[in-house]
Structures are given as C-alpha cells and as structure tokens.
Amino acid sequence: MSTATETTAASEGLRGVVAAQSAIGDVNGEQGILIYQGYDIHDLAENSTFEEVVFLLWNGRLPSKVELETLSSDIRSNYEAPAQVIDLMKQFPADADPMDVLRTAVSSLDFYDKEGHGTDREHAMKAAIKLTAQIGTISAAWDRIRNGKDVVAPDKSLGIADNFLYMLRGEKADADEARMFDIALILHADHELNASTFTTRVVAGTLADMYGAVTAGIAALAGPLHGGANTNVMKMLIEIGSVEAIDAWVDKALEEKRKIMGIGHAVYKTEDPRATWLRKFSKKMADKTGVAKWYEMSRRIEQIMHDKKGMFPNVDFYSASTYYLMGIALDMYTPIFAVSRISGWTGHILEQYGHNKLIRPRAEYIGARDQKYVPIAER
Ligand code: COA
C-alpha cells in the first residue's frame, strides 16, 4: 500500500474481513448456526426441497406453490446440455479430473446460450436457470463417458437430486436415498463468502457474464482446502483401512503437522450444523448397506480430533462415507458439491449485479523500495 492512512494492515487469508453486504446466507461460527435468507438450515433440511431452496436463494423468500412449480419446470426443461458440449467432453482424456472437465464444459455452455448474456436480472436469471439445470447433467455424463458407458438422458419428471442420481447410475434411486441426497444438496447450497463464492463475486464485479463467474467458482471449489476435501476424506479412510489403525495414524499425522481432511473450519468453532445431518446420513447408509466400517472410522477420528485438538468435522467429513456407500466414485464428490453450490454462486452473482461495485482491495506492500535499475550487462 502506498500510504499507511489509506488502508489497514492485511489480515492473513482475509479472516474476519467483511468484504460484501449480502442477504443470502449467514454463518454464525461461534454458535454453529447457518441460515439462508433468515431460515435455519435445520428447518430447511427438515421441510424443504433443493428446488425450493434455489428459489429462496435467488428471490429472498420462499415460493408459493405456483412459483415453485414454474421454477421447477423452467429448470427441468433445461436439463438437457447442448449436444456439442457432450460431444466435446467425449474428446477429453478418460483420466481427466471431473472438476477440470466440469470447469471446461461449463465454460463452453456460454457459446450455446443465446439468452443468458447480460448482467441485468432478466438475462442473468436465464443463465442461472441453465447453469443450475445443466451442471448435474454434465457431471453425471462425464462419469459415464470416462467409463465407456452411454450418457443417460435427463428425466424431466425428476427433481434435481433424483435426476442427478439417475443420470449418474442409470437407475432410479429409492425414495430414501433420493431424499437424503436432496437434503445433502440443500446443505451445500450456500455458505456466505466461502472461497468459491467470493471468487464468483469478484469475477461478476467486473461485469463479466455469469458463465465466466461460475467457471472461476468451479476452479476455486476444486482445491483440496475447499470442495476437494470430501474426496480426500475418503482417500484418507481407505488409506487408514480399519478402526484399529486410526489412533496411530492420526497421532503420526498430527506429529508431522499434516491436516486431517474434513476437520476444522475457517469460521465454525463448534459443530458445523451441516455435519450433524451428514453424520446421520453416513450412519443411515452404513445401516442400509451393512457396511459400518467407514462410519465407525469417521466417528473415531472425530472423537480423537475433538479430544486432542478441540476441532470438529466440517461438511466434507461425513459426506465422504455417505456418497461412498451410495456407490459414487470418489472424485465425483466435489462435482456434487458444485451441483448444489451453483445455487449459492448464482444467487450471489445476481446480488452482485444488483448493486455492483468493482471488487478491488489493496495489498500491503512488503517489497523493496527505491531500487536503482542496473542494466542487464552490468548485473
Ligand atoms: N487437522 C489438523 N490440524 C488442523 C486442521 C486439521 N484438519 N485444521 C487446522 N488445523 C490446525 C493447523 O495445523 C493450525 O495449527 P497450528 O496453529 O499449530 O499451526 C491450526 O489448526 C489453525 O489452522 P489453519 O489452517 O490456520 O486454520 P484455518 O481456520 O485457516 O483453516 C481449514 C481452516 C478448513 C482450511 C483447515 O481446518 C483445513 O485445512 N482443514 C482440512 C481441509 C478441509 O476439510 N477443508 C474443508 C473446509 S469446509
């Protein structure tokens, strides 16, 4: 920074810095409370559907029955991704990371949307609907393409959660699993200015279009310290292998100052309310499949981390074992996060466009000053 009076000293990782006003969601890290537009996440998880939450995040209120039907129908009639995008994905190497594929494919959706350009609410909303409808289609299609399977066409009679599982696995989920997955999408929908949402707002703040902002959000979500943690939780559980091996494994990891994936949070200093639900789902899937190992291992890690470090599981900890027992590939967990978080991203982008100000902070300059240029021949 050039003048000390203009700015305050940098906060590492912008912790505690308020960077935007938003009416979308709020995280109370001390008390472990998460709200979307004033509604407690537990209330929404108990009573709502993901589509209803999408309406809430975009409009700031719960929909009437007719409004919900209209939005659901708008989303469902946009489930189908452009054939050119699916064909493009067929050219990608089979070992491409699903998040890299998602980033590239979502970016290319832009070419085929004639109505979704522009940052006014009418046009931006059209892009938000298409993105929310097609991000699941693309994610599921990639898992099938890379495994040499036929892409399953979306089923417009199904909601977003149900339809995603159908396109991914090629068969309809039972009602129990579909509802569990629907709640998982509700839980992941928004989380205030997390890294990917902040990224989307920075991009939208330049008045770049929604496809650009969401593409950047996907890139940010992919990182292992953000959405990539859920995949790494499952990799960790598989590596540890058994409940008996946990204590020694965790001790060694802590000794070596390695982070335990799915534990800790930048804002929550108590139980993440989303983990409360996902813990239940992990147990439910353990009971349903008769495979208790992953749930029991997770419980033991949770207990050790609580006792030794006073830390709690975050949203990624129990979603890992839940999705694993649903038969979903490990590297698809982060795309699933995106299938949900698209609602929060687009909500924040709409909000940013609504009262935009270019986001342009300052850096605290800690480099040298008054350097004298030395010609290259003399260095
Ligand atoms: N396992 C072990 N120790 C952890 C830890 C974890 N998962 N998370 C934080 N810590 C420790 C750090 O090593 C550090 O210890 P130190 O003070 O002795 O150096 C201290 O807690 C603070 O860590 P820091 O990374 O600065 O905290 P943060 O608030 O910035 O971190 C996360 C938040 C989420 C990035 C961090 O907890 C983490 O990396 N968790 C694992 C990845 C994850 O699950 N991400 C998904 C988030 S939803």
Side-chain angles (χ1 to χ4, degrees):
M1 78 185 92
S2 45
T3 56
T5 49
E6 273 179 15
T7 51
T8 53
S11 147
E12 214 180 352
L14 298 183
R15 290 296 185 284
V17 172
V18 174
Q21 286 193 322
S22 175
I24 296 178
D26 188 40
V27 182
N28 181 327
E30 299 304 321
Q31 293 175 38
I33 298 171
L34 169 62
I35 57 169
Y36 299 162
Q37 303 275 9
Y39 294 92
D40 191 284
I41 192 70
H42 295 304
D43 206 5
L44 292 170
E46 195 77 59
N47 300 302
S48 186
T49 62
F50 180 57
E51 279 85 353
E52 194 174 24
V53 165
V54 172
F55 186 100
L56 175 67
L57 296 177
W58 290 352
N59 296 285
R61 59 181 176 82
L62 290 172
S64 68
K65 196 166 176 292
V66 172
E67 284 172 328
L68 181 57
E69 278 165 10
T70 305
L71 180 68
S72 290
S73 144
D74 283 349
I75 290 175
R76 290 170 193 210
S77 60
N78 278 287
Y79 272 162
E80 196 98 44
Q84 298 93 323
V85 173
I86 301 292
D87 286 345
L88 176 74
M89 288 162 64
K90 290 180 179 162
Q91 313 302 315
F92 296 163
D95 63 354
D97 185 278
M99 284 302 281
D100 296 345
V101 168
L102 193 63
R103 194 188 61 226
T104 305
V106 164
S107 174
S108 76
L109 286 177
D110 190 350
F111 310 143
Y112 308 102
D113 183 357
K114 298 286 173 241
E115 298 177 314
H117 294 127
T119 58
D120 59 292
R121 190 166 170 95
E122 187 196 339
H123 289 93
M125 186 62 92
K126 289 199 164 131
I129 288 171
K130 273 204 164 42
L131 280 158
T132 304
Q134 291 172 15
I135 199 163
T137 312
I138 288 172
S139 301
W142 175 246
D143 195 45
R144 297 192 65 88
I145 291 168
R146 67 174 174 174
N147 287 308
K149 294 183 184 161
D150 287 338
V151 171
V152 176
D155 181 339
K156 294 185 173 109
S157 72
L158 303 175
I160 293 175
D162 225 352
N163 179 50
F164 176 78
L165 289 176
Y166 168 62
M167 291 187 297
L168 185 73
R169 305 192 296 200
E171 55 189 47
K172 291 189 179 154
D174 64 47
D176 231 25
E177 227 171 274
R179 178 62 187 147
M180 219 186 297
F181 198 69
D182 194 45
I183 296 175
L185 295 189
I186 293 174
L187 299 172
H188 287 82
D190 186 61
H191 214 234
E192 199 219 70
L193 283 196
N194 57 90
S196 57
T197 302
F198 184 55
T199 303
T200 64
R201 287 193 79 127
V202 170
V203 177
T206 69
L207 295 184
D209 75 16
M210 192 165 274
Y211 288 94
V214 166
T215 302
I218 294 171
L221 184 70
L225 295 188
H226 189 10
N230 49 16
T231 298
N232 287 316
V233 170
M234 202 59 226
K235 284 186 183 160
M236 172 182 76
L237 294 176
I238 292 169
E239 185 192 324
I240 300 173
S242 69
V243 179
E244 293 70 37
I246 284 176
D247 288 49
W249 194 95
V250 173
D251 279 350
K252 187 160 182 286
L254 292 180
E255 226 176 84
E256 291 169 358
K257 296 249 170 233
R258 279 189 286 130
K259 285 191 169 161
I260 310 298
M261 287 292 120
I263 302 287
H265 198 273
V267 182
Y268 291 117
K269 301 302 162 215
T270 182
E271 167 124 335
D272 178 337
R274 303 165 301 173
T276 313
W277 282 87
L278 290 156
R279 186 190 293 109
K280 275 195 280 190
F281 294 164
S282 173
K283 172 80 166 69
K284 225 172 163 184
M285 286 309 297
D287 292 344
K288 183 174 178 182
T289 57
V291 181
K293 172 177 163 178
W294 310 113
Y295 172 74
E296 284 169 4
M297 288 176 73
S298 305
R299 287 293 283 165
R300 180 68 195 142
I301 294 172
E302 176 181 5
Q303 190 187 355
I304 298 174
M305 288 305 286
H306 179 259
D307 295 350
K308 293 203 165 159
K309 303 278 289 182
M311 299 183 83
F312 297 87
N314 59 50
V315 70
D316 294 313
F317 193 64
Y318 283 103
S319 56
S321 43
T322 304
Y323 297 157
Y324 189 74
L325 290 180
M326 284 183 173
I328 299 173
L330 268 63
D331 57 3
M332 289 301 293
Y333 303 173
T334 317
I336 288 172
F337 199 146
V339 168
S340 163
R341 187 55 59 86
I342 186 70
S343 57
W345 289 337
T346 46
H348 276 270
I349 296 166
L350 289 166
E351 192 179 57
Q352 182 71 35
Y353 288 155
H355 44 89
N356 188 55
K357 176 102 178 151
L358 180 78
I359 298 172
R360 203 306 189 186
R362 298 298 312 270
E364 182 184 8
Y365 182 68
I366 56 162
R369 292 192 189 275
D370 304 323
Q371 299 268 57
K372 187 153 173 40
Y373 184 81
V374 179
I376 196 160
E378 294 169 28
R379 278 177 233 156

